[in-house]
């Protein structure tokens, strides 16, 4: 029997009289590569915001690895094991590539230094800094960014900025990685590279991944299961190939078969 990594129970939120999401029930097993799809305004990013503590749900609960994280603050949810990227890239553009990753590492207990140690620049400060830098280099190497570690993030090509954002999210040692439209703005070659990177992360880091994506070729190519949202509610859920051939999904979101 598969181990459940994420489970939502009737999860929802209302803004005034608007039900942005309602009765969303998703079960994602450990190691799944799962897609959340639907048109703009369907409530996909709203679900991500609920799962990361940006919004507090007005109905329902969600569990990570069996632990109820409903209503917890963003930093607590991140420490418990949920990390995300954003539809609009949010890098520290005027910092180097490696510094972007080290910022994320700084939140982990093994890289903590007391203010006293850092202020006086004691040996432990430099030892921890070296440890962080070495770990950041390892992550950047995985994403093909090690040679550009001293480049300003804003000077990276678009596709590599996307990879850097994923690397930074990975630096927090998540159990569940949320990717919000990772292929947005990419050309076909960059998208193919991204698909390979996502597969690599899942297979080599024992990672569970939930992604929002409009590129159905990417969704069909890497996601084993998907849930389709329609006006904040589930329209269909199940094996990817089956769901993408559901007449309701084709009509509402993908268009008629060509």
């Amino acid at each position: 029997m598969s181990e459940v990594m994420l489970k939502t129970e009737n999860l929802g939120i209302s803004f005034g009289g608007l039900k942005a999401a309602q009765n969303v029930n998703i079960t994602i097993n450990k190691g799944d590569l799962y897609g959340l799809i639907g048109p703009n305004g369907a409530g996909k990013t709203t679900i991500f915001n609920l799962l990361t503590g940006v919004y507090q749900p007005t109905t329902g609960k969600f569990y990570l690895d069996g632990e109820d994280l409903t209503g917890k603050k963003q930093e607590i949810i991140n420490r418990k094991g949920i990390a995300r990227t954003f539809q609009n890239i949010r890098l520290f553009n005027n910092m180097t590539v490696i510094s972007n990753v080290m910022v994320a590492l700084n939140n982990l207990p093994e890289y903590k230094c007391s203010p006293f140690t850092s202020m006086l620049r004691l040996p432990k400060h430099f030892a921890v800094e070296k440890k962080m830098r070495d770990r950041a280099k390892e992550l950047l190497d995985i994403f093909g960014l090690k040679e550009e570690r001293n480049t300003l993030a804003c000077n990276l090509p678009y596709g590599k900025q996307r990879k850097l954002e994923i690397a930074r999210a990975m630096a927090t040692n998540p159990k569940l990685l949320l990717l919000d439209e990772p292929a947005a703005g990419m050309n076909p070659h960059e998208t193919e590279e991204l698909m390979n990177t996502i597969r690599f992360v899942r297979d080599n880091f024992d990672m569970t991944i939930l992604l929002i994506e409009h590129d159905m070729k990417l969704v069909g190519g890497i996601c084993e299961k998907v849930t389709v949202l329609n006006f904040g509610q589930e329209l269909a859920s199940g094996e990817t190939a089956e769901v993408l051939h559901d007449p309701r999904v084709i009509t509402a979101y993908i268009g008629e078969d060509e």
Side-chain angles (χ1 to χ4, degrees):
M1 184 176 178
S2 298
E3 183 180 347
V4 174
M5 179 56 70
L6 177 73
K7 184 177 181 64
T8 71
E9 295 180 348
N10 298 318
L11 194 64
I13 185 171
S14 297
F15 299 103
L18 174 65
K19 294 181 178 180
Q22 55 183 314
N23 300 322
V24 176
N25 294 284
I26 300 173
T27 299
I28 302 177
N29 293 324
K30 184 177 181 179
D32 277 356
L33 216 169
Y34 200 105
L36 185 62
I37 64 175
N40 290 328
K44 305 181 300 297
T45 297
T46 297
I47 295 298
F48 270 28
N49 286 336
L50 290 171
L51 295 177
T52 53
V54 176
Y55 297 156
Q56 300 301 321
T58 49
T59 61
K61 294 180 177 292
F62 73 93
Y63 303 84
L64 180 72
D65 206 10
E67 183 175 0
D68 185 359
L69 296 184
T70 312
K72 302 293 185 185
K73 294 181 179 180
Q74 295 180 59
E75 57 269 25
I76 293 175
I77 290 174
N78 180 249
R79 284 201 298 269
K80 292 293 185 179
I82 298 181
R84 74 177 291 183
T85 65
F86 294 85
Q87 182 177 347
N88 299 311
I89 296 175
R90 297 187 184 182
L91 296 173
F92 298 108
N93 285 320
N94 293 318
M95 292 171 60
T96 62
V97 168
I98 195 167
S99 293
N100 268 269
V101 177
M102 289 175 70
V103 165
L105 289 170
N106 193 56
N107 291 323
L108 299 179
E110 57 263 42
Y111 302 113
K112 287 292 185 183
C113 267
S114 70
F116 179 79
T117 299
S118 297
M119 183 175 64
L120 295 183
R121 313 288 279 181
L122 297 179
K124 183 181 178 181
H125 167 82
F126 294 103
V128 169
E129 188 177 73
K130 183 181 184 303
K131 188 178 177 182
M132 288 176 62
R133 189 170 294 276
D134 289 345
R135 177 56 179 156
K137 286 179 183 177
E138 288 176 4
L139 285 167
L140 292 174
D141 195 28
I142 290 164
F143 289 88
L145 296 170
K146 186 177 178 181
E147 296 304 313
E148 292 155 300
R149 62 186 179 276
N150 296 318
T151 301
L152 290 179
C154 61
N155 291 332
L156 286 179
Y158 186 81
K160 290 188 175 183
Q161 289 187 17
R162 282 284 180 192
K163 286 185 177 182
L164 176 57
E165 194 177 32
I166 297 173
R168 187 177 64 182
M170 289 292 298
T172 65
N173 288 337
K175 297 178 181 179
L176 174 67
L177 180 61
L178 307 182
L179 303 177
D180 193 346
E181 294 195 38
M186 287 188 174
N187 61 42
H189 175 71
E190 290 171 334
T191 299
E192 185 66 32
E193 278 193 348
L194 178 70
M195 289 172 67
N196 292 333
T197 298
I198 293 172
R199 288 193 197 97
F200 182 88
V201 167
R202 192 277 298 272
D203 295 340
N204 291 274
F205 286 85
D206 196 25
M207 188 62 55
T208 305
I209 299 175
L210 172 62
L211 66 89
I212 292 171
E213 190 50 68
H214 284 292
D215 186 331
M216 290 300 105
K217 182 179 178 182
L218 185 149
V219 172
I222 64 173
C223 295
E224 295 102 358
K225 298 177 183 178
V226 297
T227 290
V228 184
L229 293 184
N230 175 28
F231 299 110
Q233 300 183 69
E234 296 170 58
L235 177 66
S237 187
E239 300 292 329
T240 302
E242 182 179 335
V243 171
L244 294 184
H245 286 90
D246 186 318
R248 296 172 302 163
V249 175
I250 294 171
T251 300
Y253 302 113
I254 303 172
E256 299 297 331
D257 283 326
E258 294 180 0

